[in-house]
Structures are given as C-alpha cells and as structure tokens.
Amino acid sequence: MIWTFLLGAAAGFAVPYVEPQVKRAAEQMAQARIEVEDSEFDLVTLVLLLLVAAALSGGGNAFALLAGALLGVFGKRIVAAIQGRGGDA
C-alpha cells in the first residue's frame, strides 16, 4: 500500500513537468485544431500518470493511489501552509 501511495504522489508531483510533452503530443496527433484549455491538459496528464502508476503498482489500493496523487498535486502548497509562507510556493 505504501508503494502505491508513493507512486500516486510521484504522479501528482510530475504533472507540471510532463504536461508540456502531453500537450505537444496531443497537438501533433490531432489533425484538426481542437481548443483545449490548460486545466484540461493538466487533468489529462494527471489521469495518464495515474494509469501508469496503477499499472506499476500491480493492482494496488486505489485509495492509496489517489491519496498519494492528492499529496503530490498539492504538496508544495501544503508545506507552504504548514510553514506559514502562504499558498504560492
């Protein structure tokens, strides 16, 4: 379960780093220009990374995977709030 949690956290943390590659690949694959907002690319990237993490976990606990992803996505903000620095870390 801890392995699944850590994979979810890594997936959530990696979203801002992987999103440009997903966006570039989607634009190359789409023959027609489809308007997609940045928040939608963030969501697609997170879902793709969670699918990879779920495959790597070998059928681990879905709750642990999603809890880890939540921590990964909001980890910087959570740490900043605990340290009293505000939300933009």
Side-chain angles (χ1 to χ4, degrees), residues 15-16 18-24 26-27 33-49:
V15 168
V18 177
E19 188 265 334
Q21 286 80 16
V22 170
K23 188 174 187 177
R24 188 172 27 253
E27 288 172 349
R33 288 289 181 183
I34 300 170
E35 295 283 330
V36 181
E37 297 180 22
D38 288 338
S39 62
E40 292 172 324
F41 273 117
D42 289 344
L43 178 62
V44 168
T45 303
L46 178 61
V47 170
L48 288 174
L49 289 172

Side-chain angles (χ1 to χ4, degrees), residues 4-86:
T4 305
F5 177 80
L6 292 175
L7 283 172
F13 183 77
V15 168
Y17 304 104
V18 177
E19 188 265 334
Q21 286 80 16
V22 170
K23 188 174 187 177
R24 188 172 27 253
E27 288 172 349
Q28 290 174 355
M29 288 176 20
Q31 293 178 352
R33 288 289 181 183
I34 300 170
E35 295 283 330
V36 181
E37 297 180 22
D38 288 338
S39 62
E40 292 172 324
F41 273 117
D42 289 344
L43 178 62
V44 168
T45 303
L46 178 61
V47 170
L48 288 174
L49 289 172
L50 285 174
L51 283 172
V52 170
L56 290 175
S57 72
N61 188 343
F63 179 78
L65 184 67
L66 293 178
L70 182 67
L71 177 68
V73 168
F74 294 107
K76 291 181 183 178
R77 292 184 183 144
I78 292 169
V79 170
I82 290 172
Q83 294 177 348
R85 290 185 286 153

